[in-house]
Amino acid sequence: MSRSRRAWIGTSWKMNKTRAEAVAYLAELREWSGTSSLDVDVAIFPPFTALATAAAQLTPARRAPSADRPGPSLHLGAQNMHWQANGAQTGEISVTMLLDCGVSIVELGHYERRQHYGETDYSVNLKASAAITAGLQTVICVGDSEQDRQYAVAPEVVARQVKVAARGIPSHALASVVLAYEPAWAIGTGGQQAEPAEVEAIHRVIRTALRQSHGPQGAERVRVVYGGSVDAASADRYATQTTVDGLFVGRSGLTATGLIGVIEEFCAAAPDAASELVFLEGSAHDSC
Ligand code: PGA
């Protein structure tokens, strides 16, 4: 069975890297993307302090993928934003500021933000709506906790997160949404590796929830990616699942070599994901 959506691989640097480190990393990634013919969207999420520097690094590489010149497109992402355009929100960053830094995609609702910084399904929804209205793509992270898994309620938990986060987003705009399944129990140094069949089952739950909220056409537009701990050695295990449109990686993407390894392994194991171009609406292909 082949996929109808273009592969998407992202990495969040979380609270890592200075501007100089960002420059070195992106130079290596740019060099690779200039020679690779993999048709894959690659999104890098540096810390806020490195966004403008990263944008300058990625600008020379910007080009749209095309049938005669296939290759990876590089996108610059931010790890969070506030839903208001401006105002008295100490320590927060608005969508206008992200656009001003050259950002094209924003990550919302990561488990670490839900767990430690009070992010809720409702705040994720407010942020997603504001981002999409402003023309940003979004990566919306959802996932079950260890306890949800023990009590066998992961499907309900994840379906609820998806429905609340996507509420009010117009169906046509779902092409600029990536849904990342990030089980809390698989993230970080103590995490357990999720079995591909488990991932496949929850990805089906996500797609069903989207069908219920936005109808079949809208649901088909969303890329659903897996975001537990994945590295180059495990990427192919998930790539062979037809419900997995890509990966959102953490530690393994902290070096350009590590990220490139994940991309190449994923695309090699899922050739259909890398061979069928789907041009997305809105800003989705402002490729680098
Ligand atoms: P990790 O992070 O790969 O470092 O476990 C995964 C994530 O947060 O998406």
Side-chain angles (χ1 to χ4, degrees):
M1 204 203 297
S2 70
R3 291 179 177 77
S4 57
R5 291 167 291 272
R6 192 167 192 245
W8 186 97
I9 310 268
T11 187
S12 167
W13 294 350
K14 303 190 180 181
M15 196 173 71
N16 292 290
K17 295 199 191 297
T18 61
R19 288 174 297 161
E21 288 166 340
V23 169
Y25 182 115
L26 294 173
E28 193 179 334
L29 189 65
R30 230 178 45 204
E31 198 180 319
W32 166 80
S33 77
T35 57
S36 170
S37 58
L38 292 174
D39 280 323
V40 54
D41 283 316
V42 178
I44 314 294
F45 298 75
F48 291 129
T49 47
L51 284 176
T53 304
Q57 282 302 304
L58 292 175
T59 303
R62 287 193 179 194
R63 61 185 167 74
S66 63
D68 56 334
R69 177 72 173 87
S73 54
L74 307 183
H75 303 262
L76 179 62
Q79 298 176 23
N80 185 28
M81 58 169 260
H82 197 277
W83 59 88
Q84 289 179 5
N86 48 50
Q89 302 292 345
T90 301
E92 292 289 330
I93 303 278
S94 75
V95 68
T96 315
M97 295 165 186
L98 296 185
L99 290 167
D100 188 43
C101 283
V103 165
S104 63
I105 183 164
V106 65
E107 173 185 0
L108 302 171
H110 187 274
Y111 154 71
E112 287 150 12
R113 294 214 55 85
R114 291 177 188 260
Q115 179 79 1
H116 304 298
Y117 302 101
E119 194 82 83
T120 66
D121 295 341
Y122 304 105
S123 60
V124 170
N125 175 248
L126 290 172
K127 292 175 180 194
S129 299
I132 285 165
T133 303
L136 278 188
Q137 300 171 60
T138 58
V139 187
I140 299 174
C141 303
V142 296
D144 48 320
S145 67
E146 177 65 55
Q147 218 170 10
D148 296 329
R149 190 182 186 212
Q150 275 167 9
Y151 280 74
V153 293
E156 294 95 304
V157 168
V158 172
R160 178 185 188 282
Q161 290 174 344
V162 170
K163 285 181 184 174
V164 176
R167 184 166 183 273
I169 295 176
S171 181
H172 66 83
L174 288 176
S176 61
V177 173
V178 173
L179 234 312
Y181 172 47
E182 302 237 349
W185 45 267
I187 294 174
T189 44
Q192 309 156 52
Q193 201 177 57
E195 286 305 317
E198 277 181 283
V199 172
E200 174 109 26
I202 297 292
H203 277 213
R204 288 192 195 286
V205 165
I206 291 171
R207 192 78 65 192
T208 300
L210 288 166
R211 259 186 228 118
Q212 288 167 352
S213 63
H214 285 79
Q217 274 195 328
E220 285 312 302
R221 294 189 175 111
V222 177
R223 282 180 286 185
V224 182
V225 305
Y226 178 58
S229 292
V230 183
D231 58 18
S234 59
D236 65 328
R237 298 184 73 216
Y238 302 105
T240 51
Q241 307 299 312
T242 54
T243 57
V244 180
D245 296 320
L247 300 170
F248 195 21
V249 303
R251 283 160 299 157
S252 61
L254 278 176
T255 62
T257 311
L259 178 66
I260 292 165
V262 170
I263 298 167
E264 291 188 335
E265 291 301 324
F266 183 89
C267 291
D272 289 329
S275 67
E276 190 168 348
L277 280 179
V278 175
F279 286 92
L280 305 178
E281 295 158 44
S283 61
H285 269 160
D286 55 346
S287 45
C288 300

